[in-house]
Amino acid sequence: MTAIQLKNSTSAQLNHQRNLPELGLVCITASQEVRFRTMTRTHYLKFDEKERKIALKLIYRDNLQRLNTALTFCDRHSIKLYRMTSNLFPLCDMEDGIGENLLEEMSGDLAKIGCRAAKLGMRMVLHPDQFVVLSSENPQVVENSIKILQRHARTMDMLGLPCSSWSLMNIHGGKSGRGKQLVEVISQLPENIKSRLTLENDENAYSAKEILEVCQNAKIPLVFDAHHHICHEKLDNYDDQSVTEMFYAARETWDNPDWQLVHISNGQQAFNDRKHSDLITDMPACYRQAPWIEVEAKRKEEAIDHLRNWWKVRS
């Protein structure tokens, strides 16, 4: 097992002055404690209108309770960052309007969840699915992408989450070579989307340097993913100077550097394997200076505990 390479220095330059970054849980737990229900469009269309409403209402109420359970789980494990599932309320954008109306009926319950998160000091974020491509050459794809973001922003509004990068919605750049078009689309987004929007570098279309330029021009934050970076650049370790440079360049895009969020994952079979490993056993040294890290590992909370223990041993 590869030892985690970390600096002993603390984040004294940040206002919170914590010894360790806050580590975030992504959507579900390795255990069965946090899970969410869904329904396919095909199955939904088999029902008549009355049956659709009953089915969605059961799922929405159940998932809202499961979201509350996720907050309880995170609080119990001292996790202050939680990435919500992008499919919390499945089929709420159907043409029949049933899901949308149900959410309006449940607005009070959503507000209670958001209020609880605020009291717990819990940061709730979202990563919309891969169908969001704001840089597509197809106007219909762009239009549909904006509709998806509007749906998510509406949910976050109903939860009472701030219209800021504290409660961010993170997406990838999408179609390569269309940075200018991406900036233009972002500039025209509604405020409750744009104020939360962040962009992330990926393994193929947009390198960290390329997406940094987009973020600078669009005036939105960059969520730096070190694993995507090393895969894109074909690097063989996290000690490469470009990792540190991109980490700090990304920080400059955040109006509040205390809110900077980064992602970490490790390769499953090899260092630059794109498939995620069970645990995190290798980290960029500069990530010790990150205030917030989403842990993208298969073993979820176990990976968070494992990383915390590694850090404590080396502090």
Side-chain angles (χ1 to χ4, degrees):
M1 184 176 290
T2 306
I4 303 175
Q5 302 297 314
L6 293 168
K7 293 179 180 178
N8 291 325
S9 59
T10 62
S11 301
Q13 65 203 47
L14 300 178
N15 292 335
H16 47 70
Q17 297 195 355
R18 289 178 286 101
N19 290 325
L20 295 174
E22 297 287 359
L23 303 178
L25 176 67
V26 176
C27 300
I28 63 174
T29 54
S31 70
Q32 292 297 310
E33 191 163 352
V34 179
R35 287 289 189 274
F36 294 92
R37 296 176 58 191
T38 190
M39 177 184 289
T40 66
R41 178 186 177 93
T42 300
H43 188 60
Y44 178 79
L45 293 176
K46 293 179 180 179
F47 296 143
D48 62 28
E49 184 174 339
K50 183 178 180 180
E51 291 171 328
R52 291 176 183 180
K53 184 173 183 178
I54 293 173
L56 285 189
K57 189 172 185 178
L58 287 173
I59 291 176
Y60 289 6
R61 291 205 173 278
D62 198 6
N63 278 359
L64 197 56
Q65 180 55 49
R66 292 173 189 229
L67 179 59
N68 195 46
T69 298
L71 295 183
T72 299
F73 179 91
C74 288
D75 184 52
R76 189 167 71 245
H77 291 265
S78 300
I79 297 171
K80 293 296 184 181
L81 172 63
Y82 177 63
R83 182 200 289 183
M84 297 181 287
T85 172
S86 61
N87 200 31
L88 185 62
F89 300 116
L91 305 170
C92 66
D93 57 351
M94 291 293 289
E95 297 81 359
D96 57 22
I98 292 175
E100 184 177 0
N101 292 335
L102 282 173
L103 286 181
E104 285 295 337
E105 294 175 12
M106 296 169 57
S107 60
D109 295 323
L110 269 75
K112 290 178 182 178
I113 297 292
C115 184
R116 183 177 181 226
K119 289 180 179 179
L120 292 174
M122 195 80 62
R123 185 178 185 182
M124 299 173 71
V125 300
L126 188 69
H127 196 327
D129 59 38
Q130 70 274 16
F131 300 111
V132 176
V133 184
L134 295 180
S135 57
S136 175
E137 296 173 343
N138 187 333
Q140 187 62 50
V141 172
V142 175
E143 182 179 344
N144 289 338
S145 297
I146 295 174
K147 287 180 180 179
I148 292 173
L149 292 176
Q150 287 174 327
R151 168 165 55 87
H152 289 314
R154 177 170 171 266
T155 297
M156 298 179 90
D157 287 344
M158 295 176 77
L159 286 166
L161 302 180
C163 282
S164 71
S165 56
W166 172 262
S167 300
L168 62 82
M169 293 192 292
N170 183 55
I171 63 173
H172 291 286
K175 181 71 174 178
S176 63
R178 290 179 59 81
K180 291 183 179 179
Q181 291 81 359
L182 180 54
V183 171
E184 178 64 23
V185 171
I186 291 172
S187 71
Q188 298 177 35
L189 291 173
E191 185 60 25
N192 67 340
I193 297 176
K194 184 180 179 182
S195 61
R196 295 182 173 115
L197 196 66
T198 62
L199 293 176
E200 176 186 352
N201 57 298
D202 62 73
E203 299 159 353
N204 298 305
Y206 285 89
S207 68
K209 185 176 181 180
E210 289 170 331
I211 208 67
L212 171 65
E213 183 177 357
V214 173
C215 288
Q216 291 170 333
N217 291 332
K219 295 181 173 55
I220 63 172
L222 165 59
V223 172
F224 177 60
D225 187 307
H227 191 68
H228 287 328
H229 178 69
I230 63 97
C231 288
H232 187 280
E233 303 299 325
K234 298 179 173 58
L235 305 177
D236 57 9
N237 65 78
Y238 281 129
D239 294 327
D240 190 272
Q241 183 63 28
S242 67
V243 175
T244 302
E245 289 174 353
M246 289 312 309
F247 168 77
Y248 284 108
R251 174 170 291 178
E252 293 300 315
T253 65
W254 292 78
D255 289 338
N256 186 342
D258 287 2
W259 292 359
Q260 182 188 18
L261 177 66
V262 297
H263 290 177
I264 188 61
S265 57
N266 287 169
Q268 186 179 72
Q269 300 296 330
F271 179 71
N272 53 11
D273 183 357
R274 297 179 182 184
K275 295 181 180 179
H276 292 178
S277 60
D278 288 344
L279 302 174
I280 302 299
T281 58
D282 200 1
M283 290 276 283
C286 60
Y287 266 28
R288 185 59 181 268
Q289 307 302 319
W292 302 87
I293 304 176
E294 281 189 27
V295 179
E296 298 184 320
K298 290 184 177 180
R299 297 307 300 170
K300 304 291 183 175
E301 73 276 13
E302 295 174 19
I304 291 174
D305 288 340
H306 181 269
L307 182 52
R308 283 173 171 170
N309 290 333
W310 271 97
W311 259 334
K312 287 177 182 177
V313 167
R314 283 156 178 76
S315 294

